[in-house]
Amino acid sequence: MSQEAAEQVAQETTEETGTAETAEEAGRPEEAEAADGSKAAHTAEPSSSSLSPGWFGWRRRYPRTARGVTIGTSVLAGALLLFALLVPNQLEQLDAEAFFRLPAEGILLAGLLLALPPRSRRLIAVVSGALLGLLTVLKFVDMGFYQVLARPFDLVLDWILLDDAAEFVRESFGRTGQVLAVAGGIVLVVAVLVLMTLAMVRVTNLMVSHRAVAARTTLVLGTAWITCVTLSIQITGVPLATKGNADLVNNRVEQVRAGLRDGRVFQKQAAVDAFANTPPDQLLTGLRGKDVLFTFIESYGRVAIDDPAMAPQVDAVLKEGASNLKSAGFQSRSGWLRSPVTGAGSWLAHSTFLSGLWIKNQQRYRSLTTSDRATLNSYFRKTGAWRTVGVVPGVRRAWPEGKYFALDHIYDSEHLGYQGPYFSWTPVPDQFSLEAFQRLEHGKKDREPIMAEIILASSHNPWSPIARMIDWDDLGDGSVFHQIKKEGTDPAEVWKDPERVRTEYRRAIEYSIHSLTQWVERYGTDDTVLVFLGDHQPVPTVTAGNTSKDVPVTIVARDQKVLDRITDWHWTDGLKPAENAPTWGMDEFRDRFLTAYGPGKD
């Protein structure tokens, strides 16, 4: 081998392993510092014992190719670090402009690594690489949360949602899909951490081996960053200088602090209940003898009514429902409620509505369901005038929180008599759930009045395939839905096109509304009082940038006295709330309802 090739291999070997500093760094051209701190002679020709017969032997035989591999690997390492520093945590911000910026964190880290002594440098390179990998993983998790919940991942409160996400994948795409998704996620996280650490070590070694150039480049970039900030220089409206990672970390630190404080704040709020000491005979006097049904329609948000692409069809369904109900003697009033969540987290909305407290995260939900805070359900039960039941087809496993909601009997997906197929996540179609409620509770003779909490799940994400209305007399045990499912759409195909997703969402909402209004028309009586509402807005794919958390809420009754009690609410006549109809926080409804139907309105 030529002397020139041998010197090149020796230099590249030093750069690869990172176990020796350059002669410039050591201060003596003939010596370099070994990894253990001792001094080693810098020889031009590497000994055969220092090179493995495989990898380094190949590099010796093909020095030009080896040089290309070294350069290519270094470029890829630098590109990976730059990507990690500049990638945003929201998909809508992921464009070319995002990567043509100067990251303050990268410039400062480069200066720090150049200034540190060898051992400290290697330690900081490994630690900073791992931390940058974790930050990158967090950004990708944020992307998912923004796409579903329109908010970033909460480092304190959201870990349980990862289990719920895995369960959703299983119900939507099967056990195999769940295993592949979980395994893929774990592999991706490990790969990001390892690759980011290796990339940081490699780039650090490269900077050290070219210290003078790296120092000048860092100085120039630092000066450029300060200049861009001072002059507010932008490219297509995006600031050229950024400290986005520092801001992201700072926001998460504040988020963690807020999460830790929130428990104490919530305890104080939960201790205040205006009706806690109200005698049972003075509760809900305006509804005695009535069947009161609180019905949640999954993902029924304001977008279904306001969005121009959906409004005409949904409006037609609401008008048809209102007209048919009016022909059956029913009147209705509608308004808006602001949900604590969007995209998902139905149980948080349900508990907010029923408890009168703002249940915005899982920590509050757990605190609530282990407390003695009274809900609408428990106030109905407290009177002794109602049997309280729950129809919750979305529950497919143990639900210990059900006891908290004061339900005398709970009908989950296994106890509705359904023998048909799942529709993606949805275990039981809404029409069948309502018919089962009629068969199991509402249709019984000589029964006491019922207060029911009913969850309609057919409009749950992914909205494919969805059921369709059939003759109520043909529902049977639900086996008829096997053929209906075969006629439906494939969620994997639907979700390739956002417009198809929006179309299927609209159709699912229409199905849920048809199911509910037809049930009232078919089975409702003079003593029926229906309160139905959406639990939250759908995912951002459907809302298309709309940040509203409003959902419609409607009261339907045949007894005019029931509606007269809410005249001062100024709600809109019919099933569709006007654009300017009153908007309350969902946590306000409980106390307003108890006040409206208490003895003060008699």
Short mmCIF file of all heavy atoms in Angstrom, two decimals, residues 448-481:
data_model
loop_
_atom_site.label_atom_id
_atom_site.label_comp_id
_atom_site.label_asym_id
_atom_site.label_seq_id
_atom_site.Cartn_x
_atom_site.Cartn_y
_atom_site.Cartn_z
N GLU A 448 -91.22 2.08 36.87
CA GLU A 448 -91.04 3.43 37.41
C GLU A 448 -90.38 4.31 36.35
O GLU A 448 -89.82 3.81 35.38
CB GLU A 448 -90.17 3.36 38.67
CG GLU A 448 -88.80 2.74 38.44
CD GLU A 448 -88.05 2.52 39.74
OE1 GLU A 448 -88.16 3.38 40.62
OE2 GLU A 448 -87.39 1.46 39.86
N PRO A 449 -90.43 5.64 36.51
CA PRO A 449 -89.77 6.54 35.56
C PRO A 449 -88.27 6.23 35.46
O PRO A 449 -87.64 5.80 36.42
CB PRO A 449 -90.02 7.93 36.14
CG PRO A 449 -91.28 7.77 36.94
CD PRO A 449 -91.20 6.38 37.52
N ILE A 450 -87.72 6.48 34.29
CA ILE A 450 -86.32 6.16 34.01
C ILE A 450 -85.54 7.43 33.75
O ILE A 450 -86.01 8.35 33.06
CB ILE A 450 -86.20 5.25 32.76
CG1 ILE A 450 -86.91 3.92 32.99
CG2 ILE A 450 -84.73 5.02 32.38
CD1 ILE A 450 -87.02 3.09 31.73
N MET A 451 -84.35 7.51 34.34
CA MET A 451 -83.34 8.47 33.89
C MET A 451 -82.25 7.64 33.23
O MET A 451 -81.64 6.78 33.87
CB MET A 451 -82.76 9.26 35.05
CG MET A 451 -81.81 10.39 34.61
SD MET A 451 -80.10 10.23 35.20
CE MET A 451 -79.38 9.11 34.04
N ALA A 452 -82.02 7.87 31.93
CA ALA A 452 -81.04 7.06 31.19
C ALA A 452 -79.92 7.92 30.65
O ALA A 452 -80.16 9.03 30.15
CB ALA A 452 -81.74 6.31 30.06
N GLU A 453 -78.71 7.40 30.76
CA GLU A 453 -77.56 7.97 30.07
C GLU A 453 -77.25 7.05 28.91
O GLU A 453 -76.90 5.88 29.10
CB GLU A 453 -76.35 8.07 31.01
CG GLU A 453 -75.11 8.60 30.33
CD GLU A 453 -73.88 8.55 31.24
OE1 GLU A 453 -74.04 8.36 32.46
OE2 GLU A 453 -72.76 8.69 30.72
N ILE A 454 -77.37 7.56 27.69
CA ILE A 454 -77.23 6.74 26.48
C ILE A 454 -76.09 7.30 25.63
O ILE A 454 -76.07 8.50 25.32
CB ILE A 454 -78.54 6.71 25.67
CG1 ILE A 454 -79.69 6.18 26.54
CG2 ILE A 454 -78.38 5.87 24.41
CD1 ILE A 454 -81.05 6.27 25.88
N ILE A 455 -75.16 6.44 25.26
CA ILE A 455 -74.04 6.85 24.43
C ILE A 455 -74.22 6.25 23.04
O ILE A 455 -74.24 5.03 22.88
CB ILE A 455 -72.69 6.37 25.01
CG1 ILE A 455 -72.61 6.67 26.51
CG2 ILE A 455 -71.53 6.98 24.24
CD1 ILE A 455 -72.65 8.14 26.84
N LEU A 456 -74.37 7.09 22.04
CA LEU A 456 -74.47 6.63 20.66
C LEU A 456 -73.08 6.69 20.02
O LEU A 456 -72.48 7.76 19.93
CB LEU A 456 -75.47 7.49 19.88
CG LEU A 456 -76.91 7.48 20.43
CD1 LEU A 456 -77.82 8.31 19.53
CD2 LEU A 456 -77.43 6.05 20.55
N ALA A 457 -72.59 5.55 19.57
CA ALA A 457 -71.18 5.44 19.18
C ALA A 457 -70.93 5.29 17.68
O ALA A 457 -69.79 5.22 17.25
CB ALA A 457 -70.54 4.25 19.90
N SER A 458 -71.99 5.24 16.87
CA SER A 458 -71.78 4.99 15.44
C SER A 458 -71.00 6.10 14.75
O SER A 458 -70.39 5.87 13.70
CB SER A 458 -73.12 4.80 14.72
OG SER A 458 -73.67 3.54 15.04
N SER A 459 -71.00 7.29 15.31
CA SER A 459 -70.27 8.41 14.70
C SER A 459 -68.87 8.55 15.28
O SER A 459 -68.26 9.62 15.21
CB SER A 459 -71.05 9.71 14.86
OG SER A 459 -71.45 9.91 16.21
N HIS A 460 -68.34 7.45 15.83
CA HIS A 460 -66.98 7.45 16.36
C HIS A 460 -65.98 7.28 15.22
O HIS A 460 -66.20 6.50 14.29
CB HIS A 460 -66.82 6.32 17.38
CG HIS A 460 -65.59 6.42 18.22
ND1 HIS A 460 -64.32 6.20 17.72
CD2 HIS A 460 -65.42 6.72 19.54
CE1 HIS A 460 -63.43 6.35 18.68
NE2 HIS A 460 -64.07 6.67 19.81
N ASN A 461 -64.88 8.00 15.29
CA ASN A 461 -63.76 7.81 14.38
C ASN A 461 -63.42 6.31 14.29
O ASN A 461 -63.43 5.64 15.32
CB ASN A 461 -62.58 8.61 14.99
CG ASN A 461 -61.33 8.62 14.15
OD1 ASN A 461 -61.08 7.74 13.34
ND2 ASN A 461 -60.51 9.63 14.38
N PRO A 462 -63.21 5.72 13.11
CA PRO A 462 -62.85 6.33 11.83
C PRO A 462 -63.99 6.51 10.84
O PRO A 462 -63.72 6.76 9.66
CB PRO A 462 -61.83 5.34 11.28
CG PRO A 462 -62.32 4.01 11.74
CD PRO A 462 -62.91 4.26 13.11
N TRP A 463 -65.26 6.31 11.25
CA TRP A 463 -66.41 6.58 10.38
C TRP A 463 -66.41 5.74 9.11
O TRP A 463 -66.92 6.17 8.06
CB TRP A 463 -66.48 8.08 10.03
CG TRP A 463 -66.37 8.95 11.23
CD1 TRP A 463 -67.23 8.98 12.29
CD2 TRP A 463 -65.34 9.89 11.53
NE1 TRP A 463 -66.80 9.87 13.23
CE2 TRP A 463 -65.64 10.46 12.79
CE3 TRP A 463 -64.20 10.32 10.85
CZ2 TRP A 463 -64.84 11.41 13.38
CZ3 TRP A 463 -63.40 11.28 11.45
CH2 TRP A 463 -63.72 11.81 12.68
N SER A 464 -65.87 4.56 9.20
CA SER A 464 -65.86 3.67 8.04
C SER A 464 -65.55 2.25 8.53
O SER A 464 -64.55 2.06 9.23
CB SER A 464 -64.79 4.12 7.04
OG SER A 464 -64.65 3.19 5.98
N PRO A 465 -66.41 1.28 8.16
CA PRO A 465 -67.70 1.46 7.50
C PRO A 465 -68.73 1.94 8.51
O PRO A 465 -68.51 1.85 9.72
CB PRO A 465 -68.02 0.06 7.00
CG PRO A 465 -67.36 -0.84 8.01
CD PRO A 465 -66.09 -0.14 8.40
N ILE A 466 -69.84 2.46 8.03
CA ILE A 466 -70.91 2.90 8.93
C ILE A 466 -72.20 2.15 8.59
O ILE A 466 -72.39 1.68 7.46
CB ILE A 466 -71.15 4.42 8.83
CG1 ILE A 466 -71.43 4.85 7.39
CG2 ILE A 466 -69.97 5.19 9.38
CD1 ILE A 466 -71.78 6.31 7.26
N ALA A 467 -73.06 2.05 9.58
CA ALA A 467 -74.33 1.38 9.37
C ALA A 467 -75.30 2.31 8.63
O ALA A 467 -75.01 3.48 8.42
CB ALA A 467 -74.92 0.97 10.72
N ARG A 468 -76.41 1.77 8.23
CA ARG A 468 -77.47 2.58 7.62
C ARG A 468 -78.80 2.19 8.25
O ARG A 468 -78.94 1.12 8.84
CB ARG A 468 -77.51 2.38 6.11
CG ARG A 468 -77.73 0.95 5.66
CD ARG A 468 -77.88 0.86 4.16
NE ARG A 468 -77.88 -0.52 3.68
CZ ARG A 468 -78.94 -1.33 3.73
NH1 ARG A 468 -80.09 -0.91 4.26
NH2 ARG A 468 -78.86 -2.57 3.26
N MET A 469 -79.76 3.08 8.13
CA MET A 469 -81.07 2.84 8.72
C MET A 469 -81.78 1.71 7.99
O MET A 469 -81.74 1.61 6.76
CB MET A 469 -81.93 4.10 8.67
CG MET A 469 -81.41 5.25 9.51
SD MET A 469 -81.34 4.87 11.29
CE MET A 469 -83.09 4.61 11.65
N ILE A 470 -82.43 0.83 8.76
CA ILE A 470 -83.29 -0.21 8.20
C ILE A 470 -84.62 -0.16 8.94
O ILE A 470 -84.78 0.59 9.91
CB ILE A 470 -82.65 -1.61 8.34
CG1 ILE A 470 -82.43 -1.95 9.83
CG2 ILE A 470 -81.33 -1.67 7.59
CD1 ILE A 470 -81.91 -3.38 10.03
N ASP A 471 -85.57 -0.94 8.50
CA ASP A 471 -86.86 -0.99 9.19
C ASP A 471 -86.64 -1.49 10.61
O ASP A 471 -85.95 -2.47 10.84
CB ASP A 471 -87.82 -1.92 8.45
CG ASP A 471 -89.25 -1.81 8.96
OD1 ASP A 471 -89.50 -2.17 10.12
OD2 ASP A 471 -90.11 -1.33 8.19
N TRP A 472 -87.22 -0.78 11.59
CA TRP A 472 -87.03 -1.14 12.99
C TRP A 472 -87.47 -2.57 13.28
O TRP A 472 -86.89 -3.25 14.13
CB TRP A 472 -87.78 -0.16 13.89
CG TRP A 472 -87.19 1.23 13.87
CD1 TRP A 472 -87.39 2.19 12.93
CD2 TRP A 472 -86.29 1.78 14.83
NE1 TRP A 472 -86.65 3.31 13.23
CE2 TRP A 472 -85.98 3.10 14.40
CE3 TRP A 472 -85.72 1.31 16.00
CZ2 TRP A 472 -85.12 3.93 15.13
CZ3 TRP A 472 -84.87 2.14 16.73
CH2 TRP A 472 -84.57 3.43 16.28
N ASP A 473 -88.49 -3.04 12.57
CA ASP A 473 -88.98 -4.39 12.81
C ASP A 473 -88.04 -5.46 12.28
O ASP A 473 -88.20 -6.64 12.60
CB ASP A 473 -90.36 -4.56 12.14
CG ASP A 473 -91.42 -3.69 12.80
OD1 ASP A 473 -91.31 -3.45 14.02
OD2 ASP A 473 -92.35 -3.23 12.09
N ASP A 474 -87.04 -5.05 11.47
CA ASP A 474 -86.10 -6.02 10.88
C ASP A 474 -84.79 -6.10 11.65
O ASP A 474 -83.88 -6.85 11.23
CB ASP A 474 -85.79 -5.63 9.43
CG ASP A 474 -87.01 -5.75 8.53
OD1 ASP A 474 -87.93 -6.51 8.88
OD2 ASP A 474 -87.05 -5.05 7.48
N LEU A 475 -84.67 -5.40 12.76
CA LEU A 475 -83.39 -5.37 13.47
C LEU A 475 -83.03 -6.72 14.07
O LEU A 475 -81.87 -7.13 14.05
CB LEU A 475 -83.44 -4.31 14.59
CG LEU A 475 -83.35 -2.86 14.11
CD1 LEU A 475 -83.65 -1.90 15.27
CD2 LEU A 475 -81.98 -2.57 13.52
N GLY A 476 -84.00 -7.44 14.59
CA GLY A 476 -83.75 -8.76 15.15
C GLY A 476 -82.63 -8.75 16.17
O GLY A 476 -82.58 -7.90 17.07
N ASP A 477 -81.67 -9.69 16.03
CA ASP A 477 -80.54 -9.74 16.94
C ASP A 477 -79.31 -9.02 16.37
O ASP A 477 -78.22 -9.13 16.91
CB ASP A 477 -80.18 -11.19 17.28
CG ASP A 477 -79.70 -11.97 16.05
OD1 ASP A 477 -79.67 -11.41 14.93
OD2 ASP A 477 -79.34 -13.15 16.22
N GLY A 478 -79.52 -8.29 15.28
CA GLY A 478 -78.42 -7.52 14.69
C GLY A 478 -77.66 -8.25 13.60
O GLY A 478 -76.75 -7.67 12.99
N SER A 479 -78.00 -9.50 13.33
CA SER A 479 -77.27 -10.25 12.30
C SER A 479 -77.40 -9.61 10.93
O SER A 479 -76.52 -9.79 10.07
CB SER A 479 -77.79 -11.69 12.25
OG SER A 479 -77.55 -12.36 13.48
N VAL A 480 -78.47 -8.87 10.73
CA VAL A 480 -78.69 -8.21 9.45
C VAL A 480 -77.56 -7.24 9.11
O VAL A 480 -77.31 -6.92 7.95
CB VAL A 480 -80.05 -7.47 9.46
CG1 VAL A 480 -80.03 -6.34 10.48
CG2 VAL A 480 -80.40 -6.94 8.08
N PHE A 481 -76.83 -6.78 10.13
CA PHE A 481 -75.77 -5.80 9.89
C PHE A 481 -74.51 -6.41 9.28
O PHE A 481 -73.63 -5.67 8.83
CB PHE A 481 -75.43 -5.07 11.20
CG PHE A 481 -76.47 -4.06 11.61
CD1 PHE A 481 -77.38 -4.37 12.60
CD2 PHE A 481 -76.53 -2.82 10.99
CE1 PHE A 481 -78.35 -3.45 12.98
CE2 PHE A 481 -77.49 -1.90 11.36
CZ PHE A 481 -78.40 -2.20 12.36
#
